[in-house]
Amino acid sequence: MKNQPLLKESRMASQSTATTTTLSRLAAKAAENVLSQHSGQVVLEMNIPATIASPGNPDDMLQLLEILIGQSLNEMDNGELSIVAWQGGGLLELEIADSGCSIEERSASFPLAVARLHGEIVRQNCPQGGAAVTVRFPLGAVQTEAA
């Protein structure tokens, strides 16, 4: 039997992904899809304002999130996973951080969905251990929904 992720904090709605384009809903769906296949214990923390829309095609965004979350989970059996997003300075930034190994110990792959969404990936080590992947999207390509 698969372990269920422990949800530490969540700012997401419970509506179906098929009819929604908010980033928080897409991230929740992607996390659910990928974590259901992971056998370890993962503490999931999500902090994505409900007003942030998907930066482009929701299917591409869902695919990107599933790939990045999957890459994080491949680096740890048990641990912590954080998915955070914010807007400012002309950008939407989405960060997926984990408590796995350092960036130098990982193989780097860049999902094609990043290019389709006009994003840029930055990878870095976390000060407390593990690694973070930040995807930056130009704010002009992102539309904000009303809450």
Side-chain angles (χ1 to χ4, degrees):
M1 180 174 211
K2 300 282 183 202
N3 292 323
Q4 294 298 316
L6 302 173
L7 185 57
K8 187 173 174 183
E9 178 183 329
S10 176
R11 292 185 186 180
M12 42 187 178
S14 60
Q15 202 171 1
S16 167
T17 303
T19 60
T20 342
T21 58
T22 64
L23 186 57
S24 63
R25 291 179 182 147
L26 290 171
K29 180 65 176 168
E32 178 185 325
N33 291 347
V34 178
L35 284 166
S36 69
Q37 303 300 313
H38 187 70
S39 61
Q41 281 288 331
V42 174
V43 175
L44 173 64
E45 179 179 353
M46 293 185 73
N47 187 354
I48 302 174
T51 57
I52 298 177
S54 173
N57 182 305
D59 291 333
D60 288 340
M61 193 66 215
L62 182 64
Q63 178 188 31
L64 174 62
L65 285 160
E66 287 176 344
I67 290 169
L68 294 177
I69 293 168
Q71 288 175 351
S72 284
L73 293 178
N74 286 338
E75 302 301 332
M76 60 182 184
D77 292 324
N78 301 310
E80 298 177 11
L81 180 67
S82 172
I83 306 171
V84 180
W86 60 93
Q87 288 181 333
L91 295 172
L92 163 62
E93 292 192 2
L94 169 69
E95 180 180 271
I96 299 173
D98 63 63
S99 59
C101 62
S102 69
I103 287 294
E104 294 80 18
E105 299 175 64
R106 299 178 185 213
S107 60
S109 65
F110 296 91
L112 293 176
V114 172
R116 288 193 300 269
L117 293 164
H118 308 290
E120 170 190 318
I121 290 184
V122 176
R123 297 175 188 265
Q124 61 191 11
N125 290 318
C126 297
Q128 70 277 15
V133 174
T134 303
V135 185
R136 295 181 178 138
F137 302 97
L139 197 53
V142 177
Q143 297 178 5
T144 307
E145 282 189 15

